[in-house]
Amino acid sequence: MGQKVYVLGGYQTDFGRNWSKENKHIVAMFREAVNGALQSTKVEAKDIEVAHVGNFAAELYAMQGHLGAFFLEADPAFAGLPTYRHEAACASGSISILAASAEIEAERYEVACVLGVEQMKTVPSKIGGDYLGTAAWYDLEAKGIEFPFPKLFGKLGDEYDKRYGLKSEHLAGISAINYANAKLNPNAQTRTWYMNLSQANSKDDTNSVIGGMIRLSDCSQVTDGAAAIILASEKYATKYAKKHGLNLKDIPYIKGWGHHTSFIRFEDKVAESKDNPYILPHVRQTALDAMKRAKIADVSGLDGLETHDCFTTSEYMAIDHFGLTKPGESWKAVENGTIALDGKFPINPSGGLIGAGHPVGATGVRQALDAYKQVTGTAEDYQVKGAKNFATLNIGGSGTTSVSLIIGR
């Protein structure tokens, strides 16, 4: 790792809102998240030296490109600000964070604003599902297929079942935990929804099959939302701490990161890993790289994880790929309560993508913000007691792009 990149804080919109029904353009959530981040951190707009936007498909969902320019709509003080937009499917937000932190490490800039944003409720679900198919190899894996991604992550469950065995009740357990955690999160999309373990286990018309092992309760949400964080160099963070009467040691920083890309087709990923105990070895290496850079020997040095549960099978995968169990034994961490909010290693105290919501381009930034909240003791009702080091795992495509951050003090 180069010089430390500090996280000064940030802001998340209410993921339960439907901005189209409010007749609001994507710029509205853009503006709310950026100004919310500035206000919550007490950083002035004129101090921001560069800005990065993570977004998957605004051109499809909102007929809007060139998103970096909207920083000037958030505050005229941003006039002249250098901006970027990054796309890596569902990992777009984390890629934006990596790009911004690299610039700070290279001493190009001292302070960056990173925004993740997606407005998805602009189209019917079948059309939206087709748009999401562009995160796979569209012509080969998605074209003409209704809801291709549940089917792709259903295949991940099928592969686990083939290699190690997988019971649907363990996937239901993951779903129930995420929904329960979301009820504690005031910004979670499903905070008022009905869901429990019994419902997640049901196999009737109220919990229909979407693809393979994936039922409705196994799926993340279609979500409108944005999240923004402020990153800073040690030089700026030192001045910031002094100005606000803080101890620099109490401001979290990005301790480690991992980033890998695999084949875009799911069947190619599986073929590559046929002799590997880990079904998605690039995801495994991403987690290992993040821990190595953070100088954390193994998962026991972490206090929890915000992971990419786009479907319950992806969280099931994250459990053993982070080393919480041996490969193929993720079910043990579900069954013995390890991953519950009051367990030894809480996963998705926010509710994750299933409970909190999944505005695709915003998810990686939202995860980083929640990790920040955990290690600063500001997560309120979903706080993990005593958390000092918190990890994220953000995945684009069917395990194609994976990014992990470790944020701590």
Side-chain angles (χ1 to χ4, degrees):
M1 296 286 289
Q3 71 157 307
K4 292 179 180 176
V5 176
Y6 287 81
V7 185
L8 303 185
Y11 181 89
Q12 175 195 336
T13 63
D14 179 352
F15 281 6
R17 292 172 66 182
N18 183 326
W19 294 68
S20 295
K21 283 190 174 179
E22 296 177 24
N23 292 316
K24 290 182 177 175
H25 188 264
I26 191 171
V27 72
M29 68 176 78
F30 194 111
R31 186 184 292 124
E32 179 179 321
V34 170
N35 286 327
L38 294 175
Q39 290 165 14
S40 67
T41 59
K42 299 178 181 175
V43 171
E44 296 184 48
K46 66 178 180 59
D47 284 358
I48 302 296
E49 296 178 343
V50 67
H52 293 257
V53 180
N55 174 263
F56 168 51
E59 289 86 349
L60 294 173
Y61 285 106
M63 282 298 289
Q64 183 62 61
H66 210 165
L67 298 182
F70 282 135
F71 270 93
L72 276 70
E73 301 299 322
D75 193 315
F78 287 134
L81 184 75
T83 65
Y84 304 78
R85 181 262 184 95
H86 308 270
E87 188 277 313
C90 304
S92 300
S94 290
I95 294 296
S96 301
I97 293 171
L98 288 181
S101 62
E103 287 194 317
I104 292 172
E105 287 184 55
E107 300 182 1
R108 283 188 177 186
Y109 304 107
E110 301 288 345
V111 193
C113 181
V114 183
L115 170 81
V117 62
E118 206 79 55
Q119 186 175 14
M120 304 178 71
K121 294 183 177 179
T122 53
V123 295
S125 59
K126 288 185 179 179
I127 294 175
D130 196 46
Y131 290 168
L132 287 170
T134 61
W137 190 328
Y138 182 79
D139 280 351
L140 302 180
E141 297 182 294
K143 189 175 182 180
I145 298 174
E146 190 176 55
F147 302 120
F149 261 90
K151 294 177 173 64
L152 285 170
F153 278 91
K155 290 180 180 178
L156 176 60
D158 293 342
E159 192 62 25
Y160 262 100
D161 192 33
K162 176 183 171 184
R163 296 191 191 186
Y164 302 107
L166 174 59
K167 294 181 179 178
S168 61
E169 52 260 45
H170 292 124
L171 299 182
I174 288 172
S175 176
I177 289 171
N178 281 299
Y179 273 101
N181 291 350
K183 293 184 186 304
L184 305 174
N185 180 352
N187 287 320
Q189 184 174 358
T190 72
R191 60 187 182 267
T192 61
W193 294 14
Y194 173 78
M195 178 60 72
N196 56 26
L197 183 59
S198 176
Q199 176 62 23
N201 265 314
S202 65
K203 297 178 180 177
D204 54 27
D205 290 344
T206 65
N207 193 25
S208 56
V209 173
I210 309 298
M213 301 183 72
I214 301 297
R215 290 182 173 274
L216 188 61
S217 60
D218 295 304
C219 301
S220 59
Q221 312 307 322
V222 176
T223 309
D224 290 346
I229 58 174
I230 308 295
L231 302 181
S233 67
E234 184 162 1
K235 180 181 176 182
Y236 185 89
T238 301
K239 290 190 297 184
Y240 177 86
K242 184 177 181 180
K243 179 179 179 181
H244 296 287
L246 304 172
N247 190 329
L248 182 63
K249 293 181 179 179
D250 292 331
I251 300 178
Y253 64 98
I254 299 174
K255 287 187 159 183
W257 55 271
H259 175 201
H260 284 270
T261 306
S262 183
F263 295 104
I264 193 166
R265 284 203 308 176
F266 184 74
E267 66 180 60
D268 292 334
K269 297 181 183 77
V270 172
E272 184 191 31
S273 72
K274 65 182 177 64
D275 298 320
N276 194 308
Y278 295 96
I279 294 176
L280 298 177
H282 293 283
V283 176
R284 167 70 172 165
Q285 194 58 49
T286 295
L288 292 177
D289 287 354
M291 287 187 274
K292 182 179 180 180
R293 288 186 172 110
K295 296 182 170 55
I296 290 174
D298 55 40
V299 71
S300 67
L302 298 171
D303 297 300
L305 169 67
E306 282 288 334
T307 197
H308 198 92
D309 57 320
C310 51
F311 302 94
T312 50
T313 50
S314 62
E315 181 169 332
Y316 193 84
M317 176 274 299
I319 292 170
D320 63 5
H321 281 52
F322 259 81
L324 203 56
T325 69
K326 293 179 181 177
E329 296 184 356
S330 299
W331 59 271
K332 291 183 177 178
V334 181
E335 209 168 86
N336 64 22
T338 296
I339 63 170
L341 184 55
D342 59 354
K344 292 181 180 177
F345 188 82
I347 293 183
N348 288 343
S350 69
L353 285 62
I354 289 174
H358 183 27
V360 172
T363 287
V365 182
R366 193 279 302 161
Q367 290 176 324
L369 177 58
D370 268 315
Y372 164 88
K373 289 178 180 177
Q374 290 295 342
V375 300
T376 54
T378 56
E380 300 183 350
D381 290 345
Y382 59 100
Q383 177 69 47
V384 175
K385 190 176 181 180
K388 293 182 178 178
N389 294 303
F390 226 83
T392 70
L393 175 63
N394 190 198
I395 293 173
S398 57
T400 306
T401 298
S402 52
V403 179
S404 178
L405 303 175
I406 294 175
I407 294 174
R409 293 184 288 171

